[in-house]
Amino acid sequence: MFDRRALVVGATGIVGANLVRELLAQGDWYVYGVSRKPVRGESRVTPVCVDVLDATAVRDTLKDLEPTHVFFCTWTRMKTEEENCRVNSAMVRNVLDGLADSGSLRHVALVTGTKHYLGPFESYAKNSPQTPFREDQPRLPIANFYYAQEDVVLEFAAQHDTSWSVHRPHTIVGHAVGNAMNIGVTLATYASVCRAQSRPFIFPGSTGAWRGLNDVTDARLLAKHLTWAATHPSARNEAFNVANGDVFRWSRLWDAVGAYFDLEAQPCPEAPLGLTQQMADMEPLWDELVRREGLQPNRLFHLASPWHTDLDLGRPMECLNDTNKSRRLGFLEWQDTERSFIDLFDQLRRERIIP
């Protein structure tokens, strides 16, 4: 009954969950949600529970499915970048190999990110690429699992006559619980404890991030971009930067975040005081806040990812993405960044995740 059938790999993550909602809202997609645990609260998603690192299990699980579009929205962090390359490329390869004989596949979409330009975790932002980042910039001469994943997708597409798209969002702002890279929820939990304990709300990043121009990517906008690229011939076989379309300085946005939580935002200190350090003693304080306010019983570091927010806010340079290619080819959506954060905070309050 559905001409478009999406297989969303990583359907419970910050990207995958927002993509699932967008596909269902469009009304003409059948959606398979691939994850280790079923997608919660959405009966219209057909759950596909499998560990994508298990090639045999993936092949057995996917052999009777006939998706027209695959959206790869997940990754696994390993101890070294060489291991990241091996494991994360294998995840993509396992899924695509499991669908190779279906004959139904039209398009493969891969979500990577701005580490394509800034480098992997162990050498992150240690180079100084020219900004704004452009999709045609050469790869860095170092191992990067994003490159390894791209190579798998391009090789498969050439062999099986499918189209492809690669999507490189910047820092993603959106609703997810238990996501490993989630600046919005991390700042919301940090601000909530600061307010409850009358602690100073100190910007945790570098002076470069504080003063320089930045952009981010709303997960809802990214979902729209993914579906656009998967269904418009103009976007066939292209890599895209994906960002909200506006720019900001943390020196102003920090005030807006503080105001939402009735906090006086503190300016950037000369010596950075990262969230990994600031939140080190907050777990028992968070547990008490959960009990006192009747919040959902989430552990602090199930919600927050201070280490990754420190990477985002600790960069010594401004960080901007050129998105002209998307506009030139027909994607004209945009998102106000301040509203990205405020909308997320509102949803977290409605769901009783933060007070």
Side-chain angles (χ1 to χ4, degrees), residues 212-270:
L213 291 172
N214 294 273
D215 56 21
V216 298
T217 306
D218 192 300
R220 299 168 297 184
L221 182 86
L222 177 56
K224 293 179 184 296
H225 195 277
L226 282 160
T227 57
W228 165 76
T231 56
H232 284 72
S234 63
R236 179 184 174 93
N237 301 340
E238 296 284 354
F240 295 100
N241 295 332
V242 190
N244 281 355
D246 62 359
V247 298
F248 67 93
R249 301 181 198 275
W250 277 106
S251 56
R252 195 206 63 79
L253 187 58
W254 195 245
D255 287 337
V257 175
Y260 183 90
F261 292 95
D262 297 321
L263 291 165
E264 182 179 351
Q266 301 296 309
C268 178
E270 286 300 318

Side-chain angles (χ1 to χ4, degrees), residues 12 23 50 75 94 164 171 211 257 280 303 320 330 334:
T12 58
L23 293 168
V50 65
W75 67 287
N94 290 344
W164 57 268
T171 303
R211 296 169 183 159
V257 175
L303 297 172
L320 297 170
W334 63 277

Side-chain angles (χ1 to χ4, degrees), residues 11 32-33 35 45 61 66 95 110 113 116 139 150 157 159 171 215 223 245 251 268 312 314 319-320 331 336 340:
Y32 298 100
S35 58
V45 176
T61 302
E66 294 185 340
V95 171
L110 172 68
H116 182 95
R139 291 179 174 182
E150 281 190 11
Q159 292 175 351
T171 303
D215 56 21
S251 56
C268 178
D312 280 331
C319 197
L320 297 170
F331 184 77
D336 180 291
S340 291

Side-chain angles (χ1 to χ4, degrees), residues 193 283-300 303 352-355:
V193 174
E283 190 158 21
L285 304 175
W286 173 259
D287 291 342
E288 173 58 29
L289 188 59
V290 168
R291 287 190 295 269
R292 187 171 71 243
E293 298 290 339
L295 305 179
Q296 289 192 34
N298 292 299
R299 302 301 298 270
L300 176 60
L303 297 172
R352 303 299 298 159
I353 293 175
I354 63 172

Side-chain angles (χ1 to χ4, degrees), residues 16-30:
N18 281 276
L19 175 58
V20 165
R21 285 191 285 269
E22 175 63 24
L23 293 168
L24 294 174
Q26 291 188 8
D28 58 350
W29 288 87
Y30 188 91

Side-chain angles (χ1 to χ4, degrees), residues 126-353:
K126 292 181 180 178
N127 60 89
S128 298
Q130 186 178 17
T131 58
F133 306 134
R134 296 175 59 92
E135 294 93 343
D136 58 1
Q137 289 178 213
R139 291 179 174 182
L140 299 173
I142 54 177
N144 190 320
F145 80 83
Y146 287 168
Y147 306 161
Q149 288 182 311
E150 281 190 11
D151 289 344
V152 172
V153 169
L154 270 60
E155 179 182 3
F156 179 89
Q159 292 175 351
H160 297 274
D161 194 27
T162 66
S163 63
W164 57 268
S165 58
V166 175
H167 305 256
R168 300 170 186 162
H170 193 182
T171 303
I172 299 175
V173 180
H175 184 273
V177 173
N179 182 256
M181 301 188 299
N182 198 327
I183 189 173
V185 178
T186 299
L187 293 181
T189 55
Y190 168 63
S192 296
V193 174
C194 286
R195 180 184 180 189
Q197 296 292 318
S198 299
R199 290 192 174 195
F201 186 56
I202 302 172
F203 181 72
S206 69
T207 55
W210 178 256
R211 296 169 183 159
L213 291 172
N214 294 273
D215 56 21
V216 298
T217 306
D218 192 300
R220 299 168 297 184
L221 182 86
L222 177 56
K224 293 179 184 296
H225 195 277
L226 282 160
T227 57
W228 165 76
T231 56
H232 284 72
S234 63
R236 179 184 174 93
N237 301 340
E238 296 284 354
F240 295 100
N241 295 332
V242 190
N244 281 355
D246 62 359
V247 298
F248 67 93
R249 301 181 198 275
W250 277 106
S251 56
R252 195 206 63 79
L253 187 58
W254 195 245
D255 287 337
V257 175
Y260 183 90
F261 292 95
D262 297 321
L263 291 165
E264 182 179 351
Q266 301 296 309
C268 178
E270 286 300 318
L273 190 63
L275 286 182
T276 302
Q277 180 179 351
Q278 291 194 56
M279 298 181 72
D281 67 341
M282 284 189 176
E283 190 158 21
L285 304 175
W286 173 259
D287 291 342
E288 173 58 29
L289 188 59
V290 168
R291 287 190 295 269
R292 187 171 71 243
E293 298 290 339
L295 305 179
Q296 289 192 34
N298 292 299
R299 302 301 298 270
L300 176 60
F301 297 115
H302 178 65
L303 297 172
S305 49
W307 67 275
H308 193 266
T309 299
D310 283 347
L311 284 177
D312 280 331
L313 301 184
R315 291 184 296 248
M317 78 289 282
E318 69 177 16
C319 197
L320 297 170
N321 290 271
D322 186 301
T323 57
N324 281 320
K325 181 195 283 191
S326 291
R327 287 193 289 271
R328 186 172 67 250
L329 296 179
F331 184 77
L332 303 178
E333 299 279 350
W334 63 277
Q335 170 66 41
D336 180 291
T337 289
E338 185 172 325
R339 289 307 318 178
S340 291
F341 283 96
I342 299 305
D343 290 350
L344 172 61
F345 298 157
D346 285 346
Q347 185 174 359
L348 295 174
R349 279 186 169 171
R350 286 194 303 270
E351 296 181 1
R352 303 299 298 159
I353 293 175

